[in-house]
């Protein structure tokens, strides 16, 4: 009979080594493309087009960033996206709490009916063309409003938020507040908002980054005036359609054709980095919250 | 006697009616009471309900243009009713088989390749030694989820470029021909699916990690006492305890088999790969909004056809979930 031991058995030692190797491999596979982009963005034009960048920047230079920050279209897109993100996320978070709190109250009689009204939209939608006709009839095509109002609320976020309220707001809290003469409005304002830092962070991250900053569809369908373009539409022109208005590149010497195309390739890498900055800034702060958020959402409410 | 009998019947009828009325009355009263007591809750939820009504339900109502010859000047109601004309047009069109086939190919491939990796990663992370190591792998592997679709496709174009892409540099260094990944129709689904695996595996593993974190440590302790090594504990403790999660997620994904997102496919399309990259969502956009004669009704009919299939699929799949796992999705 094998002697039970507290030391790690050979089989386990092999397993842990293999397991860690697998995780290290995963880490490298995920990380390499990101490092490659970052390093390329800090390299020289020549190093990028001749494929000499492998891991670290080659002939370090800031030419790519210089080109990004002097490109009028990119700057305008950055400004527009920032506007859509700040205003849009404020609207989103407000709307989500407005819906999430009443739906978390078990004594709210219309709760199930409203929930069904919401959830049905997850399994059946009118689709692109009828939505487009509606938005055109509302006169929202080519306005800033189209980037905010038609995406004011996501039912998934309402479900997550409602579940969060159900599991964190003890019924006794409401009772105590009521005894003190607190109305529902006051309760939401003075109690609920102060206890929902985590869920506001999760909502702000999903709406802010996923819907607004990274969102492409809304602008693509409803905007055709370049002055309103969010960053993602500008990115598409440069990264995917390879269209870059030469006049937009000011203060840059564009003598040789080869140098110009090389600079465009370099600019693409710098642009990817610059476009991801807001996400990179937010990421460490909300990281611990979004895992929680997904877990809350995973529990059926 | 006769009279007595009929009175009894009418009495009973009256009683039944009375109790019905009473129930209706009581229901009415309790709603009235709720409106008085909870009126502030109704006010809070009013704006979100109005939003959902306008931006979700009005377009649902608008899907009827699929059955009409929609003309903008005549409006939805004024446009002539043509029944299934546009559905027939779609089924007869050579694009029908192509777009349905491509949609199915991409979604089934995504399911087959994309489904196992998050489970594998979650199991590996769960049994990793070293808390900080585990945390860093998690943090890095979630990050690609936050890369926008446009940037993701932009990165693919750079990396796979036959001229300057490092993938092709490696292929060339190994002595093979450079591959035109993005214009070769046969490679479209692979590029789409595997880049998706890279981007989403970490994020999708969160839900399994959450399920694994609820496993009772006593089960592991008992298994250790019985002499089970780590691998056997994964097979006999970890996997069985996340099996319900796996089944539910698998079922949800099966319900979305006719849904492939518009953005990434559209951004990866180019004229040369259209034979394998045109899917229902992109085709609706093209016939409905961008062609030289935007055909709203035709686009709406294709969209409605797809939405109805999705509805049937999700209902069927929910039924299935109920019988297999005893829990439904809603």
């Amino acid at each position: 009979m094998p002697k039970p031991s507290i030391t790690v058995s050979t089989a386990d030692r092999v397993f842990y080594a293999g397991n860690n190797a697998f995780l290290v491999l995963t880490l490298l596979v995920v990380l390499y493309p990101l490092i490659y982009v970052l390093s390329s963005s800090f390299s020289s034009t020549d190093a990028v087009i001749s494929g000499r960048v492998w891991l670290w920047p080659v002939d370090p230079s800031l030419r790519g960033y210089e080109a990004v920050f002097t490109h009028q279209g990119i700057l305008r897109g950055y400004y527009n996206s920032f506007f859509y993100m700040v205003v849009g996320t404020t609207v989103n978070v407000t709307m989500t709490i407005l819906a999430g709190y009443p739906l978390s109250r078990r004594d709210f009689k219309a709760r199930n009916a409203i929930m069904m009204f919401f959830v049905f939209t997850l399994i059946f939608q009118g689709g692109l063309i009828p939505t487009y006709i509606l938005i055109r009839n509302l006169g929202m095509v080519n306005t800033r409003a189209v980037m905010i109002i038609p995406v004011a609320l996501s039912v998934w976020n309402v479900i997550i938020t409602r579940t969060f309220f159900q599991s964190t707001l003890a019924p006794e809290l409401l009772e105590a507040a009521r005894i003190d003469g607190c109305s529902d409005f006051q309760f939401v304002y003075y109690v609920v908002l102060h206890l929902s830092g985590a869920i506001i962070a999760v909502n702000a991250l999903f709406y802010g980054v996923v819907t607004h900053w990274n969102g492409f569809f809304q602008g693509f369908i409803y905007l055709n005036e370049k002055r309103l373009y969010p960053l993602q539409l500008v990115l598409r022109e440069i990264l995917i359609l390879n269209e870059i208005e030469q006049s937009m590149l000011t203060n840059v010497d564009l003598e040789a054709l080869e140098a110009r195309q090389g600079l465009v390739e370099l600019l693409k890498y710098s642009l990817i980095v610059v476009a991801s900055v807001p996400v990179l800034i937010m990421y460490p702060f909300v990281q611990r919250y979004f895992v929680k958020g997904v877990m809350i959402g995973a529990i059926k409410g | 006697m006769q009279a007595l009998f009929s009175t009894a019947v009418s009495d009973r009828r009256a009683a039944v009616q009375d109790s019905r009325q009473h129930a209706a009355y009581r229901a009415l009263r309790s709603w009235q009471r709720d409106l008085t007591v909870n009126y502030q809750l109704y006010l809070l939820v009013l704006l979100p309900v109005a939003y959902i009504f306008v931006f979700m339900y009005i377009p649902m109502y608008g899907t009827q243009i699929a059955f009409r010859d929609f003309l903008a000047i005549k409006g939805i109601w004024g446009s002539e009713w043509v029944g299934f004309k546009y559905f027939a047009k779609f089924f007869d069109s050579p694009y029908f088989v192509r777009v349905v086939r491509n949609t199915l190919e991409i979604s089934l491939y995504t399911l087959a390749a994309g489904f196992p990796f998050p489970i594998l990663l979650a199991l590996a992370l769960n049994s990793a030694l070293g808390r900080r190591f585990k945390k860093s792998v998690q943090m890095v592997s979630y990050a690609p989820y936050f890369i926008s679709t446009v940037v993701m496709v932009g990165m693919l174009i750079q990396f796979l470029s036959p001229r300057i892409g490092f993938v092709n540099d490696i292929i060339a260094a190994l002595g093979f021909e450079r591959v035109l990944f993005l214009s070769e129709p046969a490679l479209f689904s692979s590029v789409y699916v595997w880049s998706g695996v890279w981007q989403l595996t970490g994020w999708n593993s969160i839900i399994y990690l959450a399920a694994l974190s609820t496993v009772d440590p006593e089960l592991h302790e008992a298994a250790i006492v019985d002499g089970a090594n780590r691998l056997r504990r994964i097979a006999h403790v970890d996997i069985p305890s996340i099996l319900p999660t796996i089944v539910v997620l698998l079922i949800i994904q099966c319900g979305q088999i006719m849904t492939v997102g518009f953005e990434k496919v559209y951004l990866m399309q180019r004229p040369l790969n259209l034979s394998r990259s045109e899917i229902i969502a992109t085709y609706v956009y093209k016939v409905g909004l961008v062609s030289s004669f935007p055909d709203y009704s035709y686009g709406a009919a294709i969209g409605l056809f797809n939405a109805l299939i999705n509805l049937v699929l999700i209902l069927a799949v929910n039924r299935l979930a109920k019988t297999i796992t005893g829990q439904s999705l809603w």
Side-chain angles (χ1 to χ4, degrees):
Chain A
M1 194 185 153
K3 196 176 71 179
S5 78
I6 46 166
T7 55
V8 184
S9 70
T10 323
D12 272 1
R13 211 166 290 159
V14 172
F15 169 80
Y16 284 120
N19 193 46
N20 275 14
F22 169 73
L23 288 174
V24 169
L25 186 70
T26 307
L27 192 73
L28 293 179
V29 168
V30 175
L31 217 47
Y32 182 70
L34 302 176
I35 291 178
Y36 183 84
V37 168
L38 197 62
S39 297
S40 296
S41 77
F42 284 106
S43 297
S44 70
T45 320
D46 187 50
V48 168
I49 46 170
S50 58
R52 282 189 287 127
V53 181
W54 282 105
L55 191 60
W56 303 117
V58 176
D59 312 332
S61 98
L62 292 172
R63 289 282 315 259
Y65 289 93
E66 220 174 88
V68 167
F69 287 115
T70 49
H71 186 288
Q72 292 307 311
I74 295 173
L75 295 179
R76 199 179 48 209
Y78 216 85
Y79 165 77
N80 283 340
S81 277
F82 198 73
F83 174 84
Y84 299 138
M85 179 171 72
V86 172
V87 179
T89 307
T90 312
V91 172
N92 291 142
V93 171
T94 313
M95 287 282 277
T96 307
I97 290 176
L98 285 180
Y101 177 68
L103 292 174
S104 75
R105 281 272 295 268
R106 286 172 209 281
D107 62 321
F108 181 38
K109 210 168 151 54
R111 185 174 106 120
N112 286 334
I114 294 174
M115 206 59 204
M116 272 172 66
F117 181 74
F118 278 32
V119 170
F120 183 69
T121 66
L122 294 177
I123 61 170
F124 185 77
Q125 292 102 21
L128 174 67
I129 309 294
T131 309
Y132 181 82
I133 293 173
L134 169 73
I135 286 175
R136 207 192 50 185
N137 289 345
L138 291 172
M140 283 209 243
V141 172
N142 268 325
T143 61
R144 287 190 189 273
V146 85
M147 300 299 288
I148 294 159
I149 295 171
V151 289
L153 187 69
S154 139
V155 172
W156 287 113
N157 291 56
V158 173
I159 296 174
I160 292 174
T161 307
R162 176 188 87 131
T163 312
F164 175 86
F165 287 146
Q166 275 173 1
S167 56
T168 55
L169 297 174
E172 292 78 17
L173 217 54
L174 181 65
E175 276 169 38
R178 275 193 173 153
I179 290 168
D180 290 337
C182 187
S183 72
D184 287 325
F185 285 168
Q186 288 170 324
F187 187 71
V188 170
Y189 191 78
Y190 292 110
V191 182
V192 175
L193 283 186
H194 290 267
L195 293 175
S196 39
I199 200 69
I200 290 175
V202 170
N203 275 312
L205 177 82
F206 284 116
Y207 284 123
V209 172
V210 180
T211 308
H212 294 291
W213 191 263
N214 284 350
F216 166 73
F217 192 74
Q218 201 70 7
F220 176 67
I221 300 289
Y222 299 109
L223 298 180
N224 48 43
E225 277 180 34
K226 291 204 170 180
R227 66 183 178 87
L228 299 174
Y229 270 16
L231 185 61
Q232 299 300 325
L233 289 193
V234 183
L235 288 177
R236 171 178 175 246
E237 288 180 346
I238 297 172
L239 296 179
I240 295 172
L241 303 180
N242 208 13
E243 284 167 7
I244 186 153
E245 292 168 50
Q246 305 299 352
S247 59
M248 291 279 191
L249 284 169
T250 50
N251 306 329
V252 175
D253 183 30
L254 297 173
E255 294 291 314
L257 190 73
E258 199 181 318
R260 187 159 60 192
Q261 189 51 37
L263 183 63
V264 171
E265 295 303 335
L266 175 62
L267 174 142
K268 287 178 182 175
Y269 288 112
S270 310
L271 185 53
I272 290 175
V273 175
V274 171
S276 313
V277 163
V279 185
L280 291 177
I281 293 172
M282 278 173 93
Y283 190 67
F285 293 104
V286 279
Q287 209 245 130
R288 61 203 175 103
Y289 289 126
F290 67 64
V291 175
K292 210 188 271 176
V294 170
M295 287 182 188
I296 296 164
I299 305 160
K300 214 178 119 192
Chain B
M1 182 68 198
Q2 183 72 35
L4 200 66
F5 182 69
S6 76
T7 352
V9 169
S10 71
D11 267 3
R12 200 188 301 151
R13 273 202 198 125
V16 167
Q17 206 173 8
D18 198 46
S19 78
R20 268 196 206 136
Q21 268 178 352
H22 195 67
Y25 176 73
R26 266 206 320 235
L28 191 69
R29 278 305 295 268
S30 83
W31 276 101
Q32 262 177 358
R33 212 186 87 81
D34 194 58
L35 266 170
T36 345
V37 177
N38 287 333
Y39 79 96
Q40 292 194 337
L41 295 181
Y42 285 95
L43 287 178
L44 286 172
V45 86
L46 189 66
L47 204 56
V49 168
Y51 163 82
I52 294 285
F53 177 77
V54 173
F55 289 99
M56 298 290 169
Y57 282 84
I58 291 181
M60 283 182 209
Y61 175 77
T63 54
Q64 60 172 292
I65 64 165
F67 303 97
R68 294 175 184 270
D69 261 331
F70 181 75
L71 286 171
I73 33 164
K74 289 185 179 173
I76 292 177
W77 280 105
S79 302
E80 195 192 342
W81 185 268
V82 292
F84 289 97
K85 175 181 157 189
Y86 287 105
F87 293 88
K89 182 179 171 185
F90 180 49
F91 297 143
D92 289 340
S93 130
Y95 279 99
F96 172 66
V97 174
R98 182 195 272 199
V99 297
V100 170
R101 199 200 74 93
N102 288 341
T103 305
L104 280 174
E105 181 195 347
I106 292 171
S107 73
L108 288 172
Y109 193 172
T110 306
L111 182 62
F115 196 76
F117 284 100
I119 303 174
L120 207 62
L121 180 62
L123 289 170
L125 279 169
N126 190 53
S127 40
L129 293 178
R131 223 182 120 71
R132 282 184 61 184
F133 172 65
K134 185 181 152 182
K135 285 269 170 232
S136 8
V137 177
Q138 273 177 280
M139 188 152 167
V140 168
S141 68
Y142 302 158
Y145 175 79
F146 293 98
I147 292 174
S148 79
T149 313
V150 177
V151 168
M152 183 70 225
V153 176
M155 281 165 65
L156 283 177
I157 291 172
Q158 295 303 104
F159 296 165
L160 301 176
S161 154
R163 207 161 33 86
I164 58 163
F166 74 77
V167 176
N168 264 316
D169 286 349
I170 295 172
I171 291 174
L174 294 174
F176 296 99
E177 290 263 314
R178 287 175 181 264
V179 183
L180 294 162
F181 285 100
L182 292 163
S183 359
E184 172 57 53
L187 291 175
F188 183 86
S189 53
S190 294
V191 173
Y192 176 93
V193 168
W194 292 105
S195 59
V197 168
W198 178 80
Q199 192 175 13
L200 299 173
T201 294
W203 184 257
N204 290 341
S205 73
I206 294 180
I207 194 157
Y208 297 111
L209 274 174
L212 282 169
S213 70
T214 62
V215 174
D216 189 349
E218 280 185 22
L219 285 175
H220 277 287
E221 281 156 24
I224 292 170
V225 172
D226 286 345
N229 62 32
R230 196 66 186 89
L231 204 56
R232 296 199 62 172
R233 282 191 280 135
I234 287 180
H236 297 289
V237 178
D238 288 343
I239 291 180
S241 52
I242 59 168
L243 203 57
T245 312
I246 295 177
V247 171
V248 168
L249 288 180
L250 190 62
I251 285 171
I252 293 176
Q253 302 233 337
C254 290
Q256 296 171 337
I257 224 79
M258 279 285 274
T259 317
V260 174
F262 172 87
E263 291 188 14
K264 191 172 166 192
V265 172
Y266 182 78
L267 291 168
M268 282 176 64
Q269 280 178 349
R270 46 213 57 207
L272 283 173
N273 66 22
L274 278 180
S275 63
R276 298 290 285 276
S277 66
E278 195 79 279
I279 57 166
I280 299 176
T282 56
Y283 189 58
V284 168
Y285 167 73
K286 284 172 190 172
V287 299
L289 292 183
V290 285
S291 70
S292 43
F293 293 103
D295 197 338
Y296 289 142
S297 289
Y298 189 31
I302 302 169
L304 182 60
F305 160 78
N306 195 15
L308 288 175
I309 290 185
N310 288 339
L311 183 66
V312 171
L313 274 174
I314 194 86
L315 292 176
V317 138
N318 191 49
R319 246 303 195 7
L320 194 71
K322 226 177 221 168
T323 24
I324 295 177
T325 63
Q327 53 178 320
S328 62
L329 304 175
W330 55 79

